[in-house]
Amino acid sequence: MAARREPSRPSAEPESAATAVRLDGVKVSFVIRGAAVFDAVAPTSFEVREGEFVSIVGPTGCGKSTLLNVTAGLLKPSAGHVEIFGERLAGLNRKSGYLFQQDALMPWKTALDNVAIALEVHGTPRKEALEAARGWMGRVGLARFCERYAHELSGGQRKRVGLAQVLIRRPRILLMDEPFGPLDAQTRQIMGNLLLGLWAEDRKAVMFVTHDLEEAIALSDRVVIMSAGPDARVIGDHPIDLARPRDAAEIRLDPKFHALHKRIWDQLREEVAKTYEEGAR
Amino acid sequence: MAARREPSRPSAEPESAATAVRLDGVKVSFVIRGAAVFDAVAPTSFEVREGEFVSIVGPTGCGKSTLLNVTAGLLKPSAGHVEIFGERLAGLNRKSGYLFQQDALMPWKTALDNVAIALEVHGTPRKEALEAARGWMGRVGLARFCERYAHELSGGQRKRVGLAQVLIRRPRILLMDEPFGPLDAQTRQIMGNLLLGLWAEDRKAVMFVTHDLEEAIALSDRVVIMSAGPDARVIGDHPIDLARPRDAAEIRLDPKFHALHKRIWDQLREEVAKTYEEGAR
Amino acid sequence: QGLEKPSITLGGGEKPLLYYLPLTLAERLGHFKEQGLTVEVQDFGGGAKSLQALVGGSVDAVTGAYEHTIRMQAKGQDVRAVIDLGRYPGVVLAVRKDKADAIKSVADLKGAKIGVTAPGSSTFILAQYLMTKAGLDPKSASFIGVGGGASAVAAMQKGEIDAISHLEPVITKLESLDAIKVLVDTRTTKGTMDTFGASNPAAVLYLKKEFIDANPKTVQALVNAFAKTLKWLQSATPEQVADAVPEPYWLGDKALYLKALAASRDTYSPDGTIDPASMKSMLDLLTATDPQLDAGSIDLAKTFDGSFLKNASVK
Amino acid sequence: MRAASLKLLALQVLVAVVAIGIWHVGSSVPIAGKYFLPEFFFSTPLDVFQRVVKLFVSGEIWRHLWITLTETLLAFVIGSAGGVAIGFWFARQPLIAAVFDPYVKMVNALPRVVLAPIFMLWLGLGIWSKVALGVTLVFFVVFFNVYQGVKEVSPVVLSNARMMGMTERQLFRHVYWPSALSWMFSSLHTSVGFALVGAVVGEYLGSAAGLGYLIHEAEGVFDVTGVFAGMFILSAFVLVIDWLVTLVERRLLVWRPQAAVGQT
Amino acid sequence: MRAASLKLLALQVLVAVVAIGIWHVGSSVPIAGKYFLPEFFFSTPLDVFQRVVKLFVSGEIWRHLWITLTETLLAFVIGSAGGVAIGFWFARQPLIAAVFDPYVKMVNALPRVVLAPIFMLWLGLGIWSKVALGVTLVFFVVFFNVYQGVKEVSPVVLSNARMMGMTERQLFRHVYWPSALSWMFSSLHTSVGFALVGAVVGEYLGSAAGLGYLIHEAEGVFDVTGVFAGMFILSAFVLVIDWLVTLVERRLLVWRPQAAVGQT
Ligand SMILES: Nc1ncnc2c1ncn2[C@@H]1O[C@H](COP(=O)(O)OP(=O)(O)OP(=O)(O)O)[C@@H](O)[C@H]1O
Ligand SMILES: Nc1ncnc2c1ncn2[C@@H]1O[C@H](COP(=O)(O)OP(=O)(O)OP(=O)(O)O)[C@@H](O)[C@H]1O
Ligand SMILES: [Mg+2]
Ligand SMILES: [Mg+2]
């Protein structure tokens, strides 16, 4: 996390903050068992600036997780490249934390250990790490479930442990793939506020995938809409100019919120209908 | 599926239809690694009548999946018992189809085979089963993804394959655990309508777990609310007297819908707040 | 009296076999101790393995086949016998009882299945030699390794083999089961003389030349001990011998053991020397069966070192 | 729990009784004029039992047992440590694995009996040549399983750990190792037996003490009773080691869901 | 792909060259007056190579090779079929598994060398006694792995299949079998080698033909070159079988995500 020095690109962009993530013509094609090629994502470029909270929405299967995987450095794009804080990404993106769409807890560690390990890995002494982890388990509402193994937790509980695991490290870039999917509406809001509070503290760059458009609008600075795949593209990029700080629940009552929601929703609906038709063909 | 004969209980109840599922004082306690006992669900009784669509909502970790597992016969209740069409359940509940909260596709079969096998198991010749499976893959919007293996599908696509796998069998009882979780709003509605259409044809009994209260109301005859765990109970049972047939999208514009939503939501909110506090303690 | 190496490791095949009787007796009768020697006996799966151990340096001396000294000379290893323990091979060629009518002599073995302890072993070579002598091509019979002990008995009982070329105690066991008829018996003087025209040394004590040169006193002590044992053996009754060996060696049946002892009585060398005629007979045996062995290159005088025997305290 | 384990014990004893019964009848009652298990080859249960008792009472067995035990444990520990280490290393270095793959398989196919003289040459006559023989058996069983076990790590869990910033060492400790554990234990159950087999075969081919020596000595003089007594002691003894392995396994795998199979 | 596999081949050849180089130097150049690999025990690479060529040219080897091949394949097929069958059966019948568990482990600990006479008694001196010896090695490796593999089936996938209404047979075919496959193949790679070892040891202890017989014969007359030539042919030959196993494995496990490990 040393300060980046790269003469060719000024570290402060015109828009006040440096670019945290830049996808440059990233295209992803999957080779299906050595035969057919499936072009999941068409060449796509976009940026997330430092301190920016960007949501990505799009119909199911359009390539949202794929884009996060590329940004995380887990998947090599077939064309184009990724820059992280101006540096070209080769290998893993070590500056980011990634909350996966699937369960990714280590089944052989208790919930608490799963959270604590994220700190231990970076040299925090075990005792301290456990202390911090216990705090985080409380914050995600699971203080009583510290000693459970993954298979002894409900779906929503597992997701929240994953959330604590990612947040405890305070990475500079947050990649979150449907983090609140298996949570009830109220818990979602509580978690949303938790995330917002944290984000406000040190202004991470966030890429947030969700299916809940209201959630996307309530939390983000920008909502990016992707078209249906294959060959998915970014087809909309809506800045959300709602005032900060926000409360994830109350902001929904704002009339501006509704206008934004309607505008984005109309665009989205069209896209989804398209996927469905394509798929059924 | 032979007609049940049991003299002590008349096969037609006063309320017009027979009971498909009856939980009688079902209590579930988990023994955590041979030591502490965790009482997940307090003694709970409720019924689902034949042809009834019941949604279950409740805060995360309250025991919804646990109740479905008990109904499916995958988990033995610590006390109480389950009756399926009046017969006491011992072992697996073979009259029901269960869409699990987690991914449950067989990774060694293609999506199409995963769907077809559900019919093959019951003696349908392979060719016919594949034919039918192809139809269902189309219905869930995945006609082009028939030959994919599970790890080559997106989260939402896997869920839809699972949906097709359960529905193709046309079981008399449907247990669905957050079936539309990882889907975008529009796809959810399309799938909801698919489910409703199917349900209208032969009036299965449905137990539907969801976190989306609007979805629950839009689809169900009854919405059951569970309290926060541990010792979760059913704390609300709201009949939804909206006209049928419904369209999962349009019904949300109905003023009656809003009144119902508000009433149930208020009860739910209280509960969720409770879970969160309990957990954090 | 100042041995260079008072404690030595000695390799043997399967000690309970009568082939190794002098070794067992020397140990049990305390003849090593009398000479101030501490001898640890290592038991190997077969003679070849003990020789390998000798060459590899893990044992100092071996009681094994005299033929090894000849073979080793061909391989450039200087290994020398210092005392002869068994002067006759002790191998018996026999046929299954129900084949006795068809196979009356070695010459009838054509096409037969002959059981031997192992391919390449002394039983194998002797059977081939006998066939060659009878004018048969050894390839005209098939040789089957049947191992020692119970599996050899099983092979004969089950009729898997027509003839057997084997050692004690298998032969006595088979005789007691009335399963075989003996064709050639090299346990006896007569049988051996008929076959080779001379004695044909079997078990000897051999060591590496370097070891002999470096530890003459130790070697002398060893030879003394064995010479005393051989002498004892000449006068001992079978009962005395049986009492001297550990009970487990009795084949679970003392009578059987006594019978086997009596049958092999002649094989033990009375004096421990090897005369040039016997050396020659062994070389003939080897060259007849192993075309790769070049008889011209072998100096038989270097296979046996009789000097220790001459100085032996017991004569 | 109590009643269940009593029932289990009863059934186990029953199996033993039936097996010994068959053995007894086979070796002492002729069927159609022939013994199904002739005493000459199989001894009788009673004789074997008496011999075992005698061996223990006379105290003769202890020295042999001790040597064999040492060899077995050493072979087991060294072989599995090696298998685990190389298995992990290969799994993490696909190029090295690919290059050495054929050679590993070739070596695995060498008959250990033939290798014995070479081990004696290098390692002498003491316990180490026997240990080496055991190691060559244990190593491969463990190696192949660990290698596969590492490759079976859940890709999502692995990605998550890597994103957490784990170094290769940390990945090993927190991901590969626990994930491969059930593979490893599966192979350990096989290899406990093989360690013993290796040690005994080594003794059988050349030694002055140990169970293999006892058995070999007995075999040469048609003492089947001795052979069977030796084999019996041998296998009783492997149960003890296996039981220890199982204890460790239970301890290390507490996190697994219980009764995934056959649960109703 | 092309270039990568050429590079791999080059590296493999390099390893072989280095190994043979060490062998050559060790057996012909004395280091500090001692040969590291004395010719008496190790022969020399050139001699061995010439002998192998001679064996093939004279055609003498074919008969032996054929017999050993038959035995190996039979042992491999029977042993793994048995291991798979019993492994599945035990995994599905926890009571039976618990009852027989100690006995299985005891039998696994019996030294095969000692069992050889019994197999010869029962099965004669033909190929079957050798097959039996190979089977006793192969069986246990496969058995323990399949047993564990079945227990490792994902509980959710299993529940889903059961809810679908699968019978025990169908569960076997559609769930347990494919899920245990990677466990099974891991054990098959080990057991190919063991099948051959079993066959060769069997031949070594009593037979009229086969590679083990050849090796034993060579050993009896201290023909190390012959021994090494035999071992070389043996292991070359296991590579061929293993390659066949790998082909089947690839075919059956197409569904696995590629490169879960080491993917960047
Ligand atoms: N390994 C793979 N091989 C082939 N195709 C793949 C693979 N992974 C993903 N895909 C395809 O790429 C497309 C995008 O997948 P991705 O998982 O990114 O979708 P998503 O936007 O995250 O969808 P969801 O909202 O359902 O999670 C999908 O059509 C999927 O089938
Ligand atoms: N195997 C288990 N051992 C111990 N506790 C368990 C086990 N399975 C579930 N629980 C606990 O039981 C409670 C109910 O779990 P369940 O999975 O039914 O919740 P849920 O209502 O489905 O939640 P979600 O909406 O998050 O999926 C949770 O508190 C969970 O921690
Ligand atoms: Mg996704
Ligand atoms: Mg749940």
Side-chain angles (χ1 to χ4, degrees), chain A residues 72 74 92-94 96 98 100 102-109 114 117-118 120-122 149 151 165 169, chain D residues 153-154 156-157 159-167 170 173-176 178-179 252 254-258:
Chain A
L74 289 168
L92 222 55
N93 176 353
R94 303 212 166 264
S96 63
Y98 188 170
F100 289 81
Q102 294 119 291
D103 280 338
L105 298 183
M106 287 170 259
W108 42 83
K109 286 187 187 292
N114 257 295
I117 188 73
E120 283 178 69
V121 158
H122 295 280
Y149 289 108
H151 72 99
Q165 195 181 50
R169 278 178 54 209
Chain D
V153 170
S154 149
V156 194
V157 173
S159 298
N160 191 25
R162 294 175 69 215
M163 287 308 294
M164 236 177 241
M166 287 197 188
T167 59
Q170 288 169 328
R173 202 178 130 204
H174 298 291
V175 182
Y176 293 116
S179 169
L252 285 179
V254 262
W255 56 271
R256 325 215 104 219
Q258 295 296 302

Side-chain angles (χ1 to χ4, degrees), chain B residues 62-244:
Chain B
C62 70
K64 305 179 292 296
S65 303
T66 302
L67 275 191
L68 288 199
N69 283 338
V70 168
T71 312
L74 289 168
L75 191 70
K76 249 176 95 94
S78 323
H81 67 269
V82 181
E83 276 174 27
I84 301 299
F85 293 115
E87 269 173 56
R88 202 161 162 152
L89 185 66
L92 223 56
N93 175 354
R94 302 210 167 265
K95 297 208 171 71
S96 61
Y98 188 171
L99 180 59
F100 289 81
Q101 187 172 13
Q102 294 119 292
D103 281 338
L105 298 182
M106 287 170 259
W108 41 84
K109 285 187 189 291
T110 60
L112 188 69
D113 281 338
N114 256 296
V115 178
I117 188 71
L119 284 184
E120 282 178 71
V121 157
H122 295 279
T124 313
R126 180 154 172 81
K127 238 190 97 174
E128 231 169 90
L130 284 180
E131 202 56 48
R134 217 174 282 277
W136 272 98
M137 286 296 283
R139 247 167 280 181
V140 296
L142 293 172
R144 297 173 44 167
F145 295 87
C146 286
E147 300 312 321
R148 296 282 184 95
Y149 289 108
H151 72 98
E152 295 167 330
L153 293 172
S154 82
Q157 288 167 340
R158 279 197 290 271
K159 201 80 192 184
R160 282 181 282 158
V161 176
L163 191 68
Q165 196 182 47
V166 170
L167 294 181
I168 195 172
R169 277 178 54 208
R170 300 183 173 263
R172 289 180 71 191
I173 302 172
L174 263 179
L175 310 174
M176 320 198 82
D177 202 345
E178 298 187 38
F180 307 150
L183 300 180
D184 57 285
Q186 186 108 16
T187 310
R188 277 179 111 112
Q189 285 174 6
I190 299 174
M191 292 297 121
N193 281 334
L194 177 70
L195 184 60
L196 278 186
L198 215 77
W199 173 78
E201 277 175 35
D202 48 7
R203 290 268 162 164
K204 306 160 193 315
V206 182
M207 278 171 82
F208 188 94
V209 170
T210 178
H211 282 309
D212 186 337
L213 187 55
E214 291 193 25
E215 186 173 84
I217 298 172
L219 298 175
S220 332
D221 294 321
R222 251 166 72 210
V223 174
V224 171
I225 314 262
M226 289 184 71
S227 76
D231 263 324
R233 286 151 303 120
V234 169
I235 49 158
D237 196 336
H238 304 262
I240 307 295
D241 46 1
L242 298 172
R244 300 261 188 196

